[in-house]
C-alpha cells in the first residue's frame, strides 16, 4: 500500500542478474566503431583499448550520429508498473519483453494496483476501496465458473504488471528521448528516469547525457 507522503508513481525498476552492460561490452562497442574508422588490423587497436578510451570514443560516435555502434550495448531491466503504462512501454518495438500473464489466475490484493501519486491523502481510502471493488468483481466472475480469460476483462488499467525488458543503447536513447520528457505520461516518465538513474550509478550515463532529461 502506498504511503500518504509518496510523490512519485509506485513503479519499480531494477537490473536483472546480467542486466548491466559489462566493461568488455563497452570496449567491444567502441572497437566496433573503430573497425569503421581505422586503417589498421582489429587486433592492433583492440588489445590495448581501455574503458576510459572506449567511453571517450563512443561519446564522439554519438556526437557524429554514428549510433548503430550503440546497438552492441545491451541493457536488461525488471520493471513493475500499471497495465496502462506497460501498454505504452511495449510500443517501443526495438526491444524485447516478457510480461506477466493475466491469463493465469491471480490472487489479487490492492497492492496489485498502482496508485497514482496525484491521489490526495483524503481520497486515498476511496481510491483503494474502488480497487478492492474491482478485485471483488474479478473474483465474482471466477466464482461463477468463468475462465480467467473472461474474468480478467473486469480488471482495470491500474492493475500492476511485471516485465523484463531487454533493449540496446541506441533504442534506449530513443525511449529516453520520448519518455523522459515532460509531455510523457507521468508513470512511464518515472520508469524512464529511474532507468537513467540506475545507468548513471554504473558510470554509463555518458551514453545518454546529451538527451537532456527534464
Ligand atoms: C508523448 C507521447 C504521446 C503519444 N501518443 C500516442 C497516441 O496518442 N497514439 C498512439 O498510437 N501512440 C502514441 N504514442 C506512441 C508513439 O507513437 C510510439 O509508438 C512510441 O513512442 C514508440 O516510439 P518509436 O516508434 O520511436 O519506438 P520503436 O518502436 O522502438 O522504434 C524505434 C525507431 O525505429 C524506427 N521504426 C520502428 N518501426 C518502424 C516502422 N514500422 N517503420 C519505420 N520506422 C520504424 C523508427 O525510427 C522508430 O523511432 C505516443 C508517444 C509519446 C512519447
Amino acid at each position: 500500500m502506498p504511503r500518504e507522503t509518496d510523490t512519485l508513481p509506485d513503479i519499480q525498476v531494477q537490473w536483472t542478474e546480467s542486466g548491466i552492460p559489462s566493461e568488455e561490452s563497452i570496449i567491444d562497442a567502441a572497437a566496433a566503431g573503430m573497425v569503421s574508422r581505422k586503417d589498421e588490423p582489429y587486433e592492433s587497436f583492440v588489445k590495448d583499448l581501455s574503458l576510459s578510451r572506449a567511453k571517450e570514443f563512443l561519446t564522439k560516435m554519438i556526437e557524429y550520429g554514428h549510433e548503430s555502434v550503440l546497438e552492441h550495448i545491451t541493457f536488461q531491466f525488471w520493471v513493475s508498473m500499471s497495465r496502462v503504462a506497460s501498454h505504452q512501454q511495449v510500443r517501443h518495438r526495438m526491444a524485447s519483453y516478457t510480461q506477466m500473464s493475466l491469463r493465469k489466475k491471480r490472487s489479487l490484493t490492492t497492492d496489485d494496483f498502482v496508485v497514482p501519486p496525484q491521489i490526495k491523502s483524503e481520497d486515498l481510502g476511496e481510491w483503494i476501496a474502488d480497487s478492492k471493488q474491482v478485485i471483488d468483481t474479478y473474483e465474482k466472475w471466477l466464482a461463477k465458473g468463468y475462465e480467467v480469460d473472461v474474468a480478467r476483462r473486469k480488471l482495470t488499467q491500474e492493475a500492476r504488471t511485471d516485465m523484463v525488458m531487454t533493449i540496446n543503447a541506441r533504442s534506449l536513447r530513443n525511449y529516453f528521448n520520448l519518455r523522459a520528457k515532460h509531455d510523457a505520461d507521468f508513470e512511464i516518465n518515472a520508469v524512464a528516469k529511474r532507468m537513467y538513474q540506475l545507468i548513471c550509478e554504473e558510470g554509463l550515463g555518458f551514453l545518454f547525457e546529451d538527451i537532456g532529461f527534464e
Side-chain angles (χ1 to χ4, degrees), residues 16 76-79 96-100 162-166:
T16 62
Q76 193 177 70
F77 301 96
W78 173 87
V79 185
S96 304
Y97 305 91
T98 303
Q99 185 167 5
M100 174 198 281
D162 298 347
M163 66 165 71
V164 169
M165 178 191 200
T166 307

Side-chain angles (χ1 to χ4, degrees), residues 18-181:
S18 64
I20 305 169
S22 65
E23 291 187 1
E24 289 81 1
S25 74
I26 302 297
I27 290 171
D28 281 345
M34 289 176 181
V35 165
S36 80
R37 306 253 143 182
K38 289 197 182 278
D39 188 21
E40 297 161 32
Y42 180 73
E43 293 74 23
S44 71
F45 55 82
V46 77
K47 67 175 167 29
D48 296 324
L49 187 53
S50 67
L51 182 62
S52 62
R53 174 76 189 107
K55 287 183 175 183
E56 206 178 294
F57 185 84
L58 288 171
T59 304
K60 280 266 178 300
M61 292 287 98
I62 293 168
E63 277 169 30
Y64 295 153
H66 189 0
E67 294 201 12
S68 61
V69 165
L70 304 180
E71 294 169 22
H72 298 293
I73 303 169
T74 303
F75 298 82
Q76 193 177 70
F77 301 96
W78 173 87
V79 185
S80 181
M81 54 169 58
S82 71
R83 282 255 154 193
V84 64
S86 80
H87 183 75
Q88 297 165 5
Q89 187 85 354
V90 301
R91 291 295 302 278
H92 291 267
R93 294 158 287 181
M94 294 296 116
S96 304
Y97 305 91
T98 303
Q99 185 167 5
M100 174 198 281
S101 173
L102 280 177
R103 302 193 75 181
K104 183 180 175 310
K105 185 172 175 297
R106 304 274 172 194
S107 299
L108 299 172
T109 71
T110 51
D111 285 344
D112 295 307
F113 289 73
V114 177
V115 179
Q118 292 88 340
I119 302 303
K120 299 181 194 126
S121 56
E122 63 266 32
D123 292 330
L124 192 59
E126 185 180 347
W127 184 277
I128 289 170
D130 282 352
S131 302
K132 179 77 179 66
Q133 186 64 47
V134 170
I135 297 168
D136 290 346
T137 306
Y138 168 73
E139 287 175 349
K140 180 185 81 178
W141 289 100
L142 286 175
K144 276 168 156 307
Y146 286 91
E147 297 293 331
V148 186
D149 269 354
V150 175
R152 68 177 174 150
R153 283 170 161 72
K154 287 297 185 187
L155 296 175
T156 47
Q157 295 204 66
E158 58 178 334
R160 183 180 289 285
T161 184
D162 298 347
M163 66 165 71
V164 169
M165 178 191 200
T166 307
I167 186 165
N168 70 48
R170 185 184 196 182
S171 185
L172 194 53
R173 284 175 57 79
N174 180 53
Y175 173 81
F176 285 155
N177 254 316
L178 293 168
R179 303 302 186 177
K181 299 290 168 73

